[in-house]
Amino acid sequence: MAEPAPSVDLMMPYYGDVPLMQAAVRSVQAQTDPDWHLTVVDDGQEPGVPEWFAELADPRISYLRNEVNLGISANFQKCLELAERDRLTIMGCDDLLLPSYVASVRALAAANPGVGLIQPGVRVIDENGEPASSLVDSIKRRRYAPKELLHGTGPVLLQGEELALSLLRGNWLYFPSLSWRTDAIQATTGFREDLRVVQDLAVILQLVEHGERLVAGGDEAFAYRRHSQSESSKAATDGTRFDESRRFFTDTARRMDEIGWHRAALVSRRHRSTRLHALTLAPTALRQRDAAAFGRLVRYAASTK
């Protein structure tokens, strides 16, 4: 007897651009599969937002505004704690679900019972919603993602040290597109306050260490918006994300050694992909005459541990 397809909680930690958030909400409403519930947790104070949700009057959508600003990680954690359905997606407030997202996630989950993480096919778009291509995305697809995804022969199933090794070489996943098994991610320590940019990889590696599997691939079902004002883009340009990365990868290498995943530990210790990324950003810092950022980027790119 086939496993029933699970129901889906869509959580949106919101701050920032109102029109992009509204477009994201409308993309949820356009799902072909009705078995979903959206919860928006507003961490800002933009005027008119509560009224807009009240006018929607959609019983499938819950809207909450934080009394005080929690910050990125704490607001993500609140979304995580509010989830009640079988599966959970923490989508970006500037990203879009394609109409088949919920249907794709439920189908992949039904075909792979108990799977901890699902990433359907992802399309990258720019500020205007047009298809985009960047060096980062090209490297993700061609160098780090499993070859089955590049050649369109997925979905692919990964787990254990092989999965940890793959992600530590270069994190080819798009965090906002991920569907998590709710009880699995709620059993982790969640989103760390001391991490701004790599908190997603930290949570994923906890799940991998605990034996969870990842299914990735299939038709495009999610539109990931890449633009210069995102938190990760700003932190990358000024070089601060790499201070965090050095600490994270050093700690992760130690943990991988402790559990006997020595190949993954070696890759984490080298963290070549992030050092290469830092090097590619150094000319931008130089053009912007940001000597401090340029120095951070070059030092990180040249580091060996």
Side-chain angles (χ1 to χ4, degrees), residues 12-238:
M12 185 187 296
Y14 166 59
Y15 49 89
D17 190 290
V18 175
L20 289 181
M21 176 274 292
Q22 292 172 336
V25 171
R26 293 189 185 100
S27 77
V28 173
Q29 292 178 300
Q31 292 301 295
T32 58
D33 188 319
D35 199 346
W36 56 266
H37 185 86
L38 171 66
T39 301
V40 179
V41 184
D42 187 350
D43 203 36
Q45 294 294 322
E46 292 292 335
V49 173
E51 292 79 7
W52 185 78
F53 279 98
E55 290 174 4
L56 278 184
D58 191 331
R60 303 170 299 175
I61 299 175
S62 300
Y63 170 79
L64 306 171
R65 173 168 275 187
N66 295 330
E67 293 183 4
V68 296
N69 180 267
L70 298 180
I72 294 173
S73 295
N75 204 35
F76 276 28
Q77 188 67 23
K78 183 173 181 178
C79 287
L80 176 58
E81 293 166 358
L82 289 170
E84 297 178 345
R85 294 186 170 213
D86 303 315
R87 300 206 67 88
L88 161 67
T89 297
I90 306 177
M91 65 179 293
C93 55
D94 55 357
D95 297 320
L96 301 172
L97 301 187
L98 301 185
S100 63
Y101 178 83
V102 171
S104 296
V105 163
R106 296 184 74 217
L108 287 168
N112 299 274
V115 69
L117 299 103
I118 294 172
Q119 179 177 278
V122 176
R123 173 189 307 171
V124 180
I125 59 176
D126 63 15
E127 290 95 330
N128 303 311
E130 297 298 322
S133 179
S134 70
L135 179 61
V136 170
D137 296 301
S138 179
I139 292 174
K140 275 191 175 191
R141 287 193 304 268
R142 297 182 179 279
R143 183 172 178 83
Y144 299 122
K147 295 298 184 285
E148 295 91 337
L149 302 185
L150 178 62
H151 300 303
T153 57
V156 60
L157 179 67
L158 296 169
Q159 64 185 108
E161 186 176 9
E162 290 304 319
L163 176 53
L165 192 65
S166 176
L167 295 175
L168 288 167
R169 283 196 180 109
N171 185 4
W172 46 271
L173 295 173
Y174 290 91
F175 166 73
S177 75
L178 290 172
S179 166
W180 315 73
R181 201 180 77 245
T182 302
D183 65 340
I185 188 173
Q186 287 180 339
T188 70
T189 57
F191 297 98
R192 290 167 48 180
E193 287 283 352
D194 63 321
L195 299 178
R196 290 174 56 201
V197 179
V198 297
Q199 69 266 52
D200 57 330
L201 183 56
V203 174
I204 291 167
L205 288 174
Q206 283 189 62
L207 290 175
V208 176
E209 181 183 335
H210 294 158
E212 299 295 343
R213 299 167 296 149
L214 164 73
V215 172
D219 295 335
E220 288 183 348
F222 190 93
Y224 176 84
R225 194 182 303 272
R226 190 176 291 285
H227 55 87
S228 58
Q229 295 306 307
S230 69
E231 179 70 17
S232 59
S233 293
K234 289 184 286 186
T237 302
D238 68 18

